[in-house]
Amino acid sequence: MCGRYTLTTPDLEALARVVQAEISPQLRAEYRPRYNIAPTQPTTIVCEAPQEGRRLELGVWGLHLAGGRPGAQINVRAESAATAPSSREVFAQGRCGVLADGFYEWSGPKEHRQPHWFHAANGRLIVFAGIYKDVRDEETGEVTRRFAILTTGANQTVGRHHDRMPAIVPRGQLGRWLAPLPRAANMAEKTALAHLLGPAPDDMLVDTPVSTRVNSPRFDDPACLEPEPTLLDDVSEAPRRRTK
């Protein structure tokens, strides 16, 4: 699962260089570092289209899928995204990358939830695999780009706390992931893309217990990432949560 994550760099131009993308005017006007990104909020995604090329854009986290579960989905299973009736069309025509430098999971009982920030040891950008579509408001005509993050089985680092994690696009594979598929693409082409999205290598991410400020989405500042000793003597004994 992925229910909160971070994108803390203040340098939008640097992000654009890493993913070799242009920056949309709306994102350029609204971008800021984020320390506790939550569902329903706008944040930074990268998309590629024949007419526009590759661009960093604002996307709202949460996607309604026809025939899927009620409400907006923030996570979709990578293993079935290409084939499930609710997501296969969006997967074929609307794959994106979700820019991040870490994500959160929790350990401990409900009354003492300890957030853990999983991030690259070298502070490098990571890109979650996502799917998106544009949604038009029937009353205002305004179009909003909405997305969901694809998840996969957890690696050993994350697996101490949860059995799922965001699917991270492997380095060097972003172009392949984003490239639009022809409408006549067969199932083999779609599932080949889905097979890019296994668990991240066990040594890719560092598990850092951080401030319980993260537990509330109203906090979104550098203090969220203050290191904090774990609230449990042995987090390995805490039950893992199971979800998307």
Side-chain angles (χ1 to χ4, degrees):
M1 149 153 209
C2 181
R4 306 275 185 80
Y5 67 97
T6 60
L7 181 60
T8 63
T9 179
D11 191 344
L12 180 60
E13 297 287 350
L15 294 178
R17 288 193 295 272
V18 171
V19 298
Q20 300 179 319
E22 300 296 321
I23 302 170
S24 74
Q26 184 184 19
L27 178 63
R28 191 180 293 279
E30 298 187 28
Y31 180 82
R32 62 183 175 86
R34 299 293 308 277
Y35 300 86
N36 195 9
I37 301 169
T40 75
Q41 296 177 352
T43 186
T44 305
I45 63 175
V46 59
C47 305
E48 190 164 318
Q51 296 80 17
E52 299 173 347
R54 188 180 300 181
R55 297 209 311 174
L56 293 182
E57 303 182 8
L58 276 179
V60 174
W61 188 10
L63 178 61
H64 293 266
L65 294 173
R69 296 182 303 149
Q73 292 183 233
I74 63 170
N75 295 152
V76 173
R77 294 177 71 92
E79 298 90 334
S80 57
T83 57
S86 60
S87 59
R88 61 192 179 195
E89 183 176 348
V90 181
F91 182 93
Q93 301 300 322
R95 293 178 310 285
C96 65
V98 182
L99 273 60
D101 54 19
F103 62 93
Y104 297 110
E105 273 302 341
W106 282 262
S107 64
K110 184 180 295 187
E111 63 273 18
H112 295 295
R113 298 180 76 216
Q114 170 66 61
H116 297 254
W117 183 44
F118 293 93
H119 56 101
N122 53 16
R124 293 172 68 177
L125 177 73
I126 54 181
V127 180
F128 304 147
I131 56 175
Y132 77 91
K133 66 178 179 179
D134 292 334
V135 179
R136 182 181 298 275
D137 186 293
E138 294 183 358
E139 294 184 1
T140 66
E142 181 180 2
V143 175
T144 302
R145 182 154 290 185
R146 305 187 67 95
F147 72 92
I149 293 171
L150 301 187
T151 66
T152 187
N155 63 14
Q156 289 187 358
T157 306
V158 179
R160 298 172 64 204
H161 308 301
H162 203 286
D163 65 340
R164 305 287 294 176
M165 66 179 292
I168 297 173
V169 179
R171 289 205 167 269
Q173 296 294 328
L174 182 61
R176 181 181 175 193
W177 172 250
L178 294 178
L181 284 172
R183 290 196 174 272
N186 60 36
M187 187 56 64
E189 292 174 285
K190 298 173 186 177
T191 54
L193 284 173
H195 289 161
L196 291 175
L197 307 178
D202 293 330
D203 60 355
M204 180 180 181
L205 301 171
V206 176
D207 175 356
T208 302
V210 292
S211 172
T212 54
R213 288 172 66 83
V214 174
N215 295 348
S216 172
R218 72 177 183 273
F219 295 120
D220 183 12
D221 54 46
C224 289
L225 296 183
E226 289 295 323
E228 185 169 306
T230 181
L231 297 175
L232 296 178
D233 292 333
D234 185 1
V235 295
S236 65
E237 296 300 317
R240 298 186 307 167
R241 294 186 298 130
R242 306 180 71 87
T243 184
K244 283 274 182 196

